[in-house]
Amino acid sequence: MSADRPGLLARIQAFDIDGGDVALPFAARLARENGWSRAYAARVVEEYKRFAFLATTGRAPVCPSEDVDAAWHLHLTYTKSYWQRFCADTLGRPLHHEPTKGGPAEGAKHLAMYADTLTAYRAAFGHAPPADV
């Protein structure tokens, strides 16, 4: 990890999507909307943050797992949290969501990107991502 990357990773990991106390925290809403336990949703949020780190620091496009993508989709609806506090203040750049255009070629492209993402994850964090997330 280069000299600037550890600080970025620490900022991402410390980022509070909710921005303080709320009646329905982000992870609880993510759990409710996907039929997950709160503990599992909290793990997905941590992996979402790792994905954001890879997306911000990598040289090639990355592709999230389906559950991490669900967290990303939900975070996008928290517009001030996402665009102002996360992208601008924490990441220091926009992180746009680019969905697939559909079709077999796009499916193959995203599977290859996902395989590359898993490789980048192992290189950045020193271990494979959790298989269930």
Side-chain angles (χ1 to χ4, degrees):
M1 216 180 275
S2 67
D4 59 333
R5 291 177 63 167
L8 174 62
L9 181 58
R11 287 192 311 276
I12 292 170
Q13 289 175 325
F15 181 76
D16 177 10
I17 293 173
D18 296 308
D21 290 331
V22 294
L24 182 62
F26 180 84
R29 182 173 176 191
L30 184 64
R32 183 185 73 188
E33 291 186 7
N34 290 283
W36 300 336
S37 71
R38 285 190 181 195
Y40 181 75
R43 291 179 54 232
V44 170
V45 170
E46 290 307 309
E47 293 305 317
Y48 163 61
K49 290 177 178 182
R50 287 180 174 187
F51 167 78
F53 175 77
L54 294 175
T56 304
T57 60
R59 294 184 181 160
V62 291
C63 182
S65 69
E66 288 185 23
D67 292 353
V68 168
D69 196 44
W72 193 6
H73 281 230
L74 182 59
H75 194 193
L76 283 164
T77 68
Y78 289 58
T79 58
K80 289 180 183 176
S81 171
Y82 186 79
W83 289 111
Q84 291 175 4
R85 294 190 313 99
F86 190 56
C87 290
D89 298 343
T90 303
L91 302 180
R93 59 162 277 204
L95 179 58
H96 293 284
H97 188 286
E98 299 290 337
T100 180
K101 296 175 185 172
E106 280 287 294
K109 178 180 94 174
H110 278 83
L111 285 174
M113 280 174 46
Y114 187 66
D116 292 343
T117 301
L118 297 178
T119 299
Y121 186 106
R122 286 189 285 280
F125 304 114
H127 56 83
D132 63 334
V133 177

